[in-house]
Amino acid sequence: MRDESMWSTTSGAVSRRLFLAGTGSILAGAALAGKAAAAPAAIPDGATVSALVIGTGYGGSVAALRLAEAGVDVHMVEMGMAWDTPGPDGKIFANTTSPDQRSFWLRTKTKQPLSNFLGFPIDKDIPRYTGILDAEEFSGITVYQGRGVGGGSLVNGGMAVTPKRENFGAILPTVNADEMYNTYYPRANAGLGVATVRPAWFDTTDAYQYARVGRKQAQRSGFPFVFVPDVYDWNYMEQEAAGTVPKSALAGEILYGNNYGKKSLQKTYLPRIAATGRVTISPLHRVTQAVPASGGYAVTIEQLTTAGAVSAIKTVTAAKVFFAAGSVGTSKLLVKLKATGALPNLNGEVGKGWGDNGNVMCGRANHIWDPTGSLQSSIPCGGIDNWAAGGAFAEVAPLPTGIETWASFYLSITKNPNRAQFTWNPTTRAVELNWQTAWKQPSIDMAKTIFDKINATEGTIYRTDLFGVYKIWGDHLTYHPLGGAVLGKATDNYGRLAGYPGLYAIDGSLIPGNTSVNPFVTITALAERNIEKIIATDF
Ligand code: FAE
C-alpha cells in the first residue's frame, strides 16, 4: 500500500492521484471531500475542452488553479509521468547518490551536473525510461529540466527567492513593480509555502556545517551572507536531524525528486487544483501541434509509453490554450509552429531573448581544519550577495556525497548579458538554440569577483576535479532557462501571444533571460498577475 501521507496537503488528506486522468478510480474520486470526481481516463481523442494547459510546472499550475476557481473546466497535458507510485525500493523518487531509471528522461547513461569526482567520471548506465530529470543538450549548453506532474518543482532545490526590488526594473521592465511586490509576490510566496531555516538550528546542526563554513569565509572576505528562503518544510528537516521521521534532505535527496520534506507543487498548488474538481491531467502526453480550428484550436497530443514510444496520437479542440511547457518547451513549440505554417502569424520575437540566468558552478578546496561535514542537507539555505558590485549571487550549495570532501561548492547566478535564439532547422526538423560556450565567460568573470577574493583571503584554491579533468568551472549547463516568448515582445504585457486570440504563454518563457536570483518565485508571481487579468478580460 502506498504511503498516502506523502501526497497529503498540510490541511488534509487530498490524494493527488485521484485526479490524474488514467490513474485514479472514479469511485475514489467521488469520495474526495464531496468534490466532483475527476475524469477516469486520459484525455480521449476528439475531446473538446474550454482551456488546455500544456505543462504542469509553476506557470501551468497557477493557470489551472485560477481558471478552475473561476469556474472554467481545464485539462492539463504533461509529457512526464505522474510520480505518484513507489518503485521496487518503496520510494517514488531515486536518491541523488544512486541514480537509476527513474532519474533521467530517456537516456541510457546518466548525465549528472557534476560529472566527475576526484577527477573520475561518475556517470553510469541506466535503462531508458521517462525519468524525472531531462538533461537536454543544445549546442554549447545542457539545459536541465524537470519532467512530470509538477514540472521543475519535482527536481529543484526549492530555493524560493524574491528578487531585490531595486533589481526588478531590469528583470521585467514592462511590469508594474508596485503591483508585483504588494500583491503577486506575496501571493506566490504564500501559495508555494516559502519559509526560512530557523537561525538557531542552522547555527548548531551538523547538516549545515558546510553552509556555516561558506558563511564564515564569505564574511571574512567582506561579502554579505544571506539566508535564502526555501519551500522545504523546515520543521520536517529538524525532525529528520532528530531521527524521528524518514530522511529526505538529510539523505541527500534532491536532483531526482524528494520523497518527504520538500513542498513541491505536488504538495501546494496541485492538491488545491484537485480540490476544485474542475481539472483533469494527462501524464505521459506530449503536445506537438496547435492550429486554428472551429471552436478555437486543434491540438495534437502524443501519448507516450515509459520507454518513450508514441502509443497513440490524439487531436483535441480547445477554446483557449496556455503554453506552460517551460522556457525551452514553450519556445520549441512556438518556433516550430510558426516555421511550419501551423501558426504563421506569431510574431518575429518568438524564440528570442533566451538566457541561462547566468548560471555557473565551481568548487573550492578548503584547508584540512575547515571540514564541510559528511552529513550535508541537500537543500541550500544561504547565499553570497555580490550582485551590485560584481554581478553575482552565489548559492552555498551542498555536495551531499556522504563523505568529508573538504570542498565548498557554489552555484552562481550572474548578470550575464548574452541572449540566444531558438530557430527551426528544416533539414533536421528540430529546433536549435544558438548559445555559444564562450558566452559563459562573463559569468565566470562575475563569479570570480567572489571566489578569487575568498581564495586569496583563505589561502585556498579552486577544485579542479568536479567537472572533468582539471576543469574549474561548471560552465556547460543551466538549471534556470528563461525567455523565448518574452513578455511585451512575443506577447502583450499579460502573455497573450501576438497574432492568435486565445493563445497564451504563462511560464518562464516570458522572462527575458535573467531574474538576478533563482527564478521560480518570479515565474509563479508573474503567472498569478497575468492569469488574473486574463480571467477578468478574456473569459
Ligand atoms: P517547468 O516547471 O519546467 O514546467 C514545464 C512542464 O511542461 C514540465 O513538466 C515539462 O515536462 C512539460 N512539458 C514540456 N514540453 C511539453 C509538451 N510539449 N507537452 C506536454 N508537456 C510538456 O516550467 N529554481 C528556483 O527558483 N530555485 C531553485 O532552487 C531551483 N533549483 C533548480 C534545480 C534544478 C536541478 C533544476 C533543473 C531547476 C531548478 N530551478 C530552480 C529552476 C526551476 O525549477 C524552473 O525555473 C521552473 O520549474 C520553471 O517553471 P515553468 O513553469 O516555466
Side-chain angles (χ1 to χ4, degrees):
M1 188 63 194
R2 188 167 77 81
D3 176 8
E4 286 288 339
S5 65
M6 160 181 330
W7 301 115
S8 300
T9 60
T10 43
S11 57
V14 179
S15 168
R16 269 184 346 94
R17 196 176 189 196
L18 302 180
F19 79 114
L20 290 172
T23 62
S25 103
I26 197 159
L27 290 174
L32 181 67
K35 306 280 180 196
I43 194 162
D45 187 26
T48 298
V49 297
S50 306
L52 191 82
V53 176
I54 308 169
T56 56
Y58 295 95
S61 293
V62 169
L65 176 64
R66 301 309 177 193
L67 287 164
E69 286 177 342
V72 179
D73 290 327
V74 179
H75 190 81
M76 302 178 85
V77 186
E78 170 54 54
M79 68 191 269
M81 306 204 312
W83 299 108
D84 61 352
T85 309
D89 60 356
K91 301 234 166 131
I92 291 176
F93 303 114
N95 195 283
T96 312
T97 53
S98 48
D100 60 26
Q101 65 171 12
R102 290 170 290 185
S103 304
F104 279 89
W105 178 258
L106 300 178
R107 277 183 175 273
T108 52
K109 189 170 191 176
T110 64
K111 191 173 175 68
Q112 304 187 63
L114 263 74
S115 56
N116 290 58
F117 192 62
L118 303 174
F120 294 102
I122 55 172
D123 280 314
K124 66 172 203 182
D125 294 340
I126 47 168
R128 190 180 144 90
Y129 188 69
T130 47
I132 199 162
L133 184 64
D134 195 354
E136 191 169 0
E137 290 175 87
F138 293 98
S139 82
I141 195 160
T142 302
V143 185
Y144 284 87
Q145 297 152 88
R147 295 275 174 252
V149 175
S153 81
L154 298 168
V155 298
N156 66 33
M159 297 183 84
V161 197
T162 300
K164 280 187 177 167
R165 184 156 178 165
E166 66 251 37
N167 296 331
F168 186 78
I171 299 165
L172 284 165
T174 61
V175 173
N176 182 321
D178 285 342
E179 285 180 7
M180 288 295 281
Y181 283 83
N182 294 336
T183 304
Y184 302 108
Y185 274 120
R187 188 175 295 173
N189 277 286
L192 295 166
V194 176
T196 305
V197 65
R198 193 163 61 86
W201 184 69
F202 172 84
D203 280 336
T204 54
T205 180
D206 290 348
Y208 282 119
Q209 186 178 329
Y210 75 92
R212 293 196 299 275
V213 169
R215 175 176 65 181
K216 177 181 72 180
Q217 295 178 338
Q219 290 174 342
R220 282 206 291 234
S221 285
F223 297 114
F225 175 93
V226 289
F227 281 120
V228 172
D230 201 280
V231 294
Y232 205 85
D233 181 336
W234 294 104
N235 291 330
Y236 189 88
M237 200 190 295
E238 291 194 27
Q239 291 173 274
E240 288 180 45
T244 55
V245 295
K247 289 186 173 49
S248 197
L250 302 200
E253 292 178 353
I254 178 164
L255 275 181
Y256 312 131
N258 194 292
N259 284 295
Y260 303 104
K262 195 174 79 185
K263 290 177 283 178
S264 72
L265 291 168
Q266 289 187 331
K267 293 186 179 171
T268 56
Y269 277 85
L270 285 161
R272 292 171 69 194
I273 289 170
T276 67
R278 287 194 174 275
V279 183
T280 48
I281 303 181
S282 292
L284 286 174
H285 280 62
R286 178 171 57 201
V287 170
T288 57
Q289 174 82 314
V291 288
S294 135
Y297 295 87
V299 179
T300 308
I301 306 172
E302 294 174 344
Q303 185 166 359
L304 304 177
T305 68
T306 54
V310 177
S311 60
I313 296 180
K314 305 171 178 182
T315 303
V316 304
T317 305
K320 296 194 167 29
V321 179
F322 291 82
F323 288 82
S327 159
V328 174
T330 291
S331 302
K332 279 178 18 185
L333 274 171
L334 294 176
V335 163
K336 178 180 113 175
L337 297 179
K338 177 172 169 61
T340 55
L343 298 173
N345 299 335
L346 291 171
N347 73 23
E349 293 291 333
V350 161
K352 291 186 180 166
W354 187 87
D356 66 342
N357 212 24
N359 281 188
V360 67
M361 292 177 176
C362 67
R364 291 181 35 259
N366 287 312
H367 293 296
I368 199 102
W369 57 84
D370 252 344
T372 46
S374 54
L375 172 66
Q376 302 201 358
S377 169
S378 61
I379 297 297
C381 71
I384 303 169
D385 185 6
N386 195 35
W387 190 262
F393 172 80
E395 288 173 15
V396 178
L399 264 182
T401 56
I403 56 169
E404 176 59 53
T405 61
W406 285 279
S408 286
F409 184 56
Y410 309 91
L411 169 63
S412 298
I413 294 161
T414 64
K415 209 186 280 185
N416 189 317
N418 290 311
R419 297 293 177 267
Q421 183 179 355
F422 292 95
T423 50
W424 175 249
N425 181 331
T427 311
T428 58
R429 299 198 61 76
V431 176
E432 296 172 351
L433 181 68
N434 67 349
W435 184 268
Q436 294 172 33
T437 312
W439 290 1
K440 285 280 193 183
Q441 192 58 43
S443 293
I444 294 173
D445 295 341
M446 290 171 195
K448 278 162 71 80
T449 66
I450 297 176
F451 303 114
D452 278 2
K453 187 161 180 198
I454 292 179
N455 277 338
T457 306
E458 303 294 328
T460 52
I461 56 169
Y462 288 102
R463 290 283 289 232
T464 57
D465 62 324
L466 300 174
F467 302 104
V469 180
Y470 208 85
K471 183 160 166 49
I472 290 175
W473 295 97
D475 58 354
H476 58 298
L477 59 77
T478 184
Y479 287 173
H480 299 165
L482 292 166
V486 169
L487 190 81
K489 292 192 168 171
T491 74
D492 74 355
N493 205 26
Y494 291 91
R496 299 180 185 93
L497 280 156
Y500 292 96
L503 293 190
Y504 309 88
I506 188 153
D507 57 14
S509 67
L510 292 171
I511 299 174
N514 200 296
T515 53
S516 75
V517 291
N518 316 62
F520 75 64
V521 173
T522 298
I523 293 170
T524 305
L526 183 65
E528 289 281 16
R529 166 194 180 268
N530 291 356
I531 198 69
E532 188 174 271
K533 173 69 94 184
I534 290 164
I535 289 170
T537 53
D538 297 12
F539 280 83

